[in-house]
């Protein structure tokens, strides 16, 4: 009836999940042609074919067809599998699954390996065969699964974790009475294919325009403003990055990355922490807390109460485990164990916390079972003193720092497997000559400008963006004592044989000095014999001001900034970001000046970012005397395409006949 179940603790709308990058971005692909039967140019197949070409080097995309009944499922599966229908990607690769199938599962040997296949027959299907078919449907993501399309009658709702669904065709009635809501359809394809790569992924639902309102109304309740586009148009948000053996002299552009041991090691079990250490640590730093007066009733709950700095939520609630001092020790142990990631918090911490609360925390010894300090267990000062006392002691015994060691000669980038990367106007994948890869995926215009500089600088022999699942990650220790991983932006090989590990930084934060310190350690460990690695930290404002013609000149200009960062890492005191503020102001002034020269009062809101990118890139290219300025105009290409399409549509639409047959004649 539209109400939430009473068991629900938190309602997390689909719109928030999309915004957070937890699931794919749903897109509605509309086509008036869906009423036509027997059309070999089926819109869904064309959309799937484009996705297949885009992803096939990295993943096998799946087409999902949801039908109304078993008869329809059989007809569609036979149609897609048949000869002469124009579906070469799907012929013989369609998995049909529903409870009324007739046939059996047979084991056959293909390519020297035993696989299961469904064989149709007149006999009804046995339960064990249906279960085997379900297992086959769950293994569609695997490389050894031959299937590229699955046709189903609502059998794949629970426990179906296939990630590779990119195109969904719902061939069943959609109405409020049918109970088949749009989010149920979308659920079959929302799981991310590349959850670690922080890239935009989409899933297209091919449907008739008549259903648009239903989708919009249903998904608006989920906080999702769903995009709609013609199904034949590809919403290209990603590209495949691969070593381009056909067009590039890969041997000349080779970069070898040494293997280096980690510097930080963590253990899950806490051992050896004694009460004497806890008492000593507390008394050296803090004063005992007052017992205070007893209070009754509910308390205000703040999510910041124990291990987070910001207030995430406030609510009134019963005290629960914190209503009694004797049970609070178990609660604190559980929260400390979760925050410090140890596996045995109750076994080790609960006895220590009981003794700490009763003998050390307050101005006098207290009895946890008498109720005299029950009212204090949920107070912020108690929680904060527990956290501040125990967290450093726990981390000191579960996190260990070691010297880095070079383990082997290294890994050649030419052995990296293809991977998928985002390619949009704001995060473009651009071409470059001095990299062995087909494209350079850039997170912003700064990275795009740096890629152009690497192609221009006189002392650069080869470079590569450090991205994808095989990217180099350097471990370091965060201020809270936890281990973290840092991914530098670029790797560069100079003409003199030296290597650079490069980090481009716009705005700095408290972690940047620690990352720089870890990267410098990594470079020192990686340097052996004639092969030397150096860490190059490039602040945005210095790069914009620089007119360097070589990487060596840029490195000299950036050296003081790196020295300052390393000092920050030692002292913990960050420098004021004066250069960043100046650079931002200069970029705004530059754009305003160029717009004035062009006679433009102000940029349209949708164009402001790309215009600023283009102007900034061009200004740097001119300052550096680059031979070509082509890369500076890259941000403008997509908006120009969009404006061109608008002009074409505005001129053509009034002339296009309404009938399908007349339209074909018109375009012919």
């Amino acid at each position: 009836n539209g109400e939430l179940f009473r068991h629900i603790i938190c309602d997390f709308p689909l719109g928030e999940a999309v915004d957070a990058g937890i699931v794919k971005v749903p897109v509605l692909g509309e086509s008036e042609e869906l009423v036509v039967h027997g059309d070999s140019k089926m819109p869904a197949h064309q959309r799937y074919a484009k996705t297949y070409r885009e992803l096939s080097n990295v993943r096998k995309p799946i087409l999902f067809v949801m039908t109304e009944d078993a008869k329809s499922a059989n007809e569609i599966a036979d149609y897609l599998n048949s000869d002469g229908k124009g579906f070469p990607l799907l012929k013989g690769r369609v998995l049909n699954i529903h409870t009324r199938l007739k046939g059996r599962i047979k084991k056959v040997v293909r390519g020297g390996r035993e696989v299961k296949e469904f064989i149709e027959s007149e006999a009804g299907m046995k339960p064990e065969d249906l279960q085997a078919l379900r297992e086959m449907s769950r293994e569609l993501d695997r490389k050894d699964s031959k299937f590229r399309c699955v046709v189903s009658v609502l059998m794949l709702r629970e426990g179906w974790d296939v990630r590779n669904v990119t195109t969904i065709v719902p061939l069943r009635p959609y109405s409020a009475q049918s109970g088949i809501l749009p989010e149920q359809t979308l659920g079959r394809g929302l799981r991310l294919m590349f959850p670690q790569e922080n890239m935009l992924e989409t899933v297209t639902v091919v449907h008739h325009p008549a259903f648009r309102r239903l989708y919009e109304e249903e998904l608006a309740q989920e906080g999702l403003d769903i995009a709609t586009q013609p199904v034949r148009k590809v919403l290209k948000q990603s590209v495949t990055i691969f070593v381009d053996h056909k067009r590039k002299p890969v041997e000349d552009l080779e970069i070898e990355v040494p293997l280096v041991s980690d510097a930080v090691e963590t253990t899950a079990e806490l051992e050896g922490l004694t009460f004497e250490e806890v008492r000593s640590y507390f008394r050296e730093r803090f004063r005992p807390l007052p017992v205070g007066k007893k209070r009754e009733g509910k308390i205000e709950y703040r999510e910041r109460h124990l291990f987070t700095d910001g207030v995430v939520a406030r609510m009134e609630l019963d005290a629960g485990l914190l209503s009694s001092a004797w049970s609070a020790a178990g609660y604190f142990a559980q929260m400390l164990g979760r925050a410090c990631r140890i596996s045995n918090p109750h076994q080790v911490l609960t006895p220590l916390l009981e003794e700490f609360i009763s003998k050390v925390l307050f101005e006098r010894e207290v009895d946890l079972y008498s109720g005299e300090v029950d009212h204090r267990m949920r107070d912020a000062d108690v929680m904060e003193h527990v956290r501040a006392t125990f967290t450093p002691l726990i981390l000191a015994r579960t996190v260990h720092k070691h010297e880095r060691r070079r383990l082997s000669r290294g890994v050649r980038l030419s052995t990296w497997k293809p991977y998928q990367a985002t390619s949009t106007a704001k995060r473009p994948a651009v071409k470059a000559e001095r990299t062995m890869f087909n494209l350079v995926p850039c997170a912003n215009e700064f990275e795009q400008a740096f890629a152009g500089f690497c192609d221009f600088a006189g002392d650069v022999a080869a470079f590569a963006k450090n991205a994808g699942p095989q990217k180099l990650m350097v471990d370091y220790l965060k201020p809270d004592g936890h281990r973290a991983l840092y991914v530098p932006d670029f790797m560069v090989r100079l003409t003199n044989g030296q290597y650079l590990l490069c980090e481009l930084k716009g705005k700095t934060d408290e972690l940047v000095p620690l990352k720089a310190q870890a990267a410098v350690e990594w470079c020192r460990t990686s340097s052996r014999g004639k092969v030397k690695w150096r860490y190059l930290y490039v602040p945005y404002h210095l790069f914009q001001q620089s007119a360097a013609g070589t990487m060596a000149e840029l490195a000299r200009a950036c050296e003081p900034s790196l020295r300052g960062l390393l000092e920050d890492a030692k002292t913990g005191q960050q420098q004021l970001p004066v250069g960043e503020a100046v650079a931002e102001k200069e970029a705004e002034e530059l754009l305003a000046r160029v717009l004035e020269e062009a006679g433009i009062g102000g940029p349209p809101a949708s164009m402001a970012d790309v215009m600023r990118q283009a102007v900034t890139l061009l200004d740097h290219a001119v300052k550096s005397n680059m031979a070509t300025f082509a890369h500076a105009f890259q941000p403008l290409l997509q908006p120009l395409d969009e404006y061109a399409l608008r002009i074409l549509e505005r001129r053509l639409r009034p002339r296009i006949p309404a009938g399908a047959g007349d339209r074909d004649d018109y375009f012919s």
Side-chain angles (χ1 to χ4, degrees):
N1 60 5
E3 295 180 4
L4 295 179
F5 291 113
R6 64 185 180 85
H7 312 288
I8 289 176
I9 296 170
C10 175
D11 177 30
F12 191 66
L14 178 58
E16 289 185 26
V18 171
D19 289 342
I22 296 170
V23 296
K24 294 177 187 150
V25 178
V27 177
L28 293 186
E30 291 188 344
S31 177
E32 301 279 359
E33 300 170 46
L34 291 178
V35 297
V36 180
H37 294 275
D39 179 11
S40 64
K41 297 177 181 177
M42 186 177 79
H45 181 263
Q46 287 196 342
R47 180 67 187 89
Y48 172 77
K50 291 176 180 178
T51 307
Y52 185 85
R53 288 194 294 271
E54 182 182 332
L55 293 173
S56 58
N57 285 334
V58 183
R59 282 270 187 155
K60 176 187 65 177
I62 301 295
L63 172 65
F64 182 91
V65 183
M66 184 184 289
T67 64
E68 183 177 11
D69 52 39
K71 181 174 179 291
S72 302
N74 292 340
E75 289 177 356
I76 291 164
D78 291 343
Y79 183 67
L80 295 175
N81 269 322
S82 59
D83 292 314
K85 296 297 183 184
F87 309 131
L89 285 175
L90 302 182
K91 183 178 179 297
R93 295 180 180 272
V94 179
L95 178 66
N96 184 16
I97 175 168
H98 55 79
T99 54
R100 297 186 180 179
L101 280 172
K102 292 186 176 182
R104 61 190 178 88
I105 299 295
K106 183 180 179 182
K107 292 181 179 179
V108 297
V109 177
R110 295 194 184 281
R113 194 172 50 82
E114 188 179 82
V115 295
K116 294 177 181 178
E117 285 195 358
F118 174 69
I119 309 296
E120 284 192 67
S121 67
E122 291 301 316
M125 201 169 197
K126 296 179 180 178
E128 56 267 27
D129 285 338
L130 184 59
Q131 183 59 34
L133 198 60
R134 285 182 184 270
E135 290 298 322
M136 291 166 67
S137 76
R138 294 190 184 106
E139 296 170 354
L140 291 173
D141 283 347
R142 289 172 48 168
K143 289 183 179 179
D144 56 4
S145 170
K146 72 171 186 176
F147 300 109
R148 295 173 182 166
C149 174
V150 58
V151 180
S152 171
V153 188
L154 286 181
M155 280 190 65
L156 306 178
R157 286 179 293 180
E158 294 86 18
W160 196 64
D161 292 335
V162 173
R163 295 179 178 272
N164 288 7
V165 174
T166 59
T167 311
I168 299 174
V169 187
L171 299 182
R172 53 182 301 119
Y174 271 72
S175 64
Q177 290 76 29
S178 71
I180 309 303
L181 302 178
E183 57 261 38
Q184 285 182 283
T185 304
L186 285 176
R188 307 287 62 79
L190 285 177
R191 287 176 66 90
L192 292 174
M193 292 183 285
F194 311 99
Q196 305 300 324
E197 296 308 309
N198 191 29
M199 58 175 283
L200 188 66
E201 298 182 36
T202 61
V203 56
T204 301
V205 181
V206 179
H207 78 130
H208 194 278
F211 296 136
R212 182 197 284 196
R213 185 176 176 186
L214 177 68
Y215 268 92
E216 289 176 343
E217 288 176 355
E218 286 287 347
L219 296 176
Q221 297 176 28
E222 288 289 305
L224 182 64
D225 183 17
I226 193 164
T228 307
Q229 66 171 20
V231 71
R232 296 186 189 278
K233 178 184 175 184
V234 178
L235 184 65
K236 192 157 187 176
Q237 300 284 359
S238 68
V239 291
T240 303
I241 309 296
F242 57 88
V243 178
D244 197 347
H245 289 279
K246 290 183 179 179
R247 298 179 180 83
K248 301 286 185 74
V250 173
E251 281 297 319
D252 297 337
L253 300 172
E254 187 65 85
I255 292 177
E256 189 173 287
V257 182
L259 293 177
V260 173
S261 67
D262 288 344
V264 182
E265 180 184 285
T266 59
T267 53
E269 291 211 349
L270 175 64
E271 295 178 355
L273 183 60
T274 65
F275 173 69
E276 291 302 322
E277 289 176 90
V278 174
R279 178 165 59 185
S280 174
Y281 188 91
F282 178 84
R283 287 179 174 174
E284 287 174 6
R285 292 163 177 80
F286 309 114
R287 294 179 182 177
L289 303 178
V291 172
K293 295 181 180 180
K294 191 173 182 180
R295 295 193 306 271
E296 301 290 345
K298 294 185 176 182
I299 59 169
E300 182 188 13
Y301 168 81
R302 296 189 180 189
E303 189 67 23
R304 186 174 59 186
H305 62 27
L306 203 52
F307 299 110
T308 58
D309 292 330
V311 176
V312 177
R314 288 187 178 91
M315 65 183 78
E316 293 291 316
L317 80 166
D318 293 318
L321 287 175
L322 296 180
S323 60
S324 304
W326 62 267
S327 62
Y331 173 81
F332 291 144
Q334 177 183 340
M335 298 305 290
L336 285 162
R338 185 179 301 168
C340 299
R341 301 168 191 167
I342 60 174
S343 60
N344 58 339
H346 289 290
Q347 179 184 349
V348 177
L349 291 178
T350 302
L352 285 174
L353 281 158
E354 288 176 351
E355 197 169 2
F356 171 74
I357 295 170
S358 64
K359 296 182 179 179
V360 179
L361 182 60
F362 294 103
E363 57 197 354
R364 59 178 172 80
E365 288 195 18
V366 297
D367 182 358
L368 301 187
Y369 293 88
S370 69
E372 60 181 313
V373 289
D374 287 353
H375 64 285
R376 293 286 277 126
M377 292 302 99
R378 61 247 194 181
D379 288 343
D381 60 340
V382 170
M383 297 178 180
E384 187 61 21
H385 279 73
V386 168
R387 181 202 65 77
T389 301
F390 277 84
T391 301
L393 293 171
I394 294 169
L395 292 174
R397 281 161 177 75
T398 57
V399 179
H400 313 282
K401 209 161 186 315
H402 306 282
E403 284 290 319
R404 298 184 192 275
R405 293 178 295 106
R406 182 162 175 157
L407 301 178
S408 69
R409 184 181 175 189
V411 175
R412 291 177 168 237
L413 297 196
S414 59
T415 64
W416 278 14
K417 295 177 181 177
Y419 64 92
Q420 210 68 12
T422 298
S423 180
T424 63
K426 290 187 177 180
R427 300 181 62 183
V430 299
K431 293 181 179 180
E433 294 298 321
R434 294 179 183 172
T435 180
M436 70 178 75
F437 295 93
N438 62 321
L439 294 168
V440 181
C442 300
N444 47 51
E445 74 270 17
F446 187 9
E447 290 192 1
Q448 186 180 350
F450 186 79
F453 178 72
C454 288
D455 252 4
F456 157 77
D459 55 351
V460 172
F463 78 99
K465 177 69 192 295
N466 184 35
Q470 295 165 273
K471 60 183 175 283
L472 168 68
M473 295 189 288
V474 180
D475 68 325
Y476 69 101
L477 208 58
K478 293 198 295 184
D480 64 4
H482 285 119
R483 179 177 183 264
L485 294 171
Y486 157 52
V487 181
D489 293 321
F490 286 87
M491 291 173 277
V492 176
R493 177 166 59 84
L494 301 177
T495 52
N496 63 5
Q498 292 189 358
Y499 289 84
L500 298 175
L501 191 64
C502 304
E503 173 69 15
L504 314 184
K505 188 56 66 179
K507 295 184 178 179
T508 57
D509 56 52
E510 64 171 1
L511 297 180
V512 172
L514 300 176
K515 294 176 181 178
Q517 187 180 50
V520 168
E521 288 175 9
W522 186 92
C523 288
R524 189 182 302 122
T525 306
S526 299
S527 300
R528 188 169 63 183
K530 294 182 179 179
V531 177
K532 302 294 182 186
W533 280 82
R534 288 175 53 207
Y535 183 60
L536 175 59
Y537 173 76
V538 187
Y540 176 75
H541 66 279
L542 281 180
F543 186 78
Q544 289 304 115
Q545 295 165 5
S546 169
T550 65
M551 196 65 73
E553 291 178 56
L554 179 64
R556 285 197 296 272
C558 297
E559 182 67 21
S561 296
L562 177 58
R563 292 293 169 203
L565 276 186
L566 297 178
E567 282 299 316
D568 292 349
K570 291 179 183 177
T571 63
Q573 181 66 44
Q574 274 192 268
Q575 298 176 344
L576 293 173
V578 178
E580 297 166 14
V582 171
E584 287 181 4
K585 184 181 178 183
E586 287 179 349
E588 291 297 334
E589 290 175 349
L590 175 64
L591 177 61
R593 190 167 66 249
V594 171
L595 290 174
E596 185 180 357
E597 291 173 6
I600 300 173
S606 61
M607 286 286 291
D609 284 344
V610 295
M611 290 171 78
R612 188 180 300 106
Q613 286 178 36
V615 167
T616 304
L617 289 170
L618 182 61
D619 183 62
H620 181 264
V622 171
K623 282 181 181 175
S624 303
N625 295 314
M626 291 188 180
T628 174
F629 303 149
H631 68 282
F633 297 93
Q634 181 81 23
L636 298 174
L637 295 182
Q638 184 173 340
L640 286 172
D641 284 346
E642 289 176 4
Y643 282 124
L645 286 171
R646 288 184 200 177
I647 293 169
L648 284 169
E649 187 177 5
R650 193 169 63 213
R651 299 282 181 88
L652 284 175
R653 186 168 290 280
R655 302 168 181 266
I656 299 174
D662 293 335
R663 279 204 304 269
D664 289 343
D665 293 340
Y666 173 78
F667 282 110
S668 296

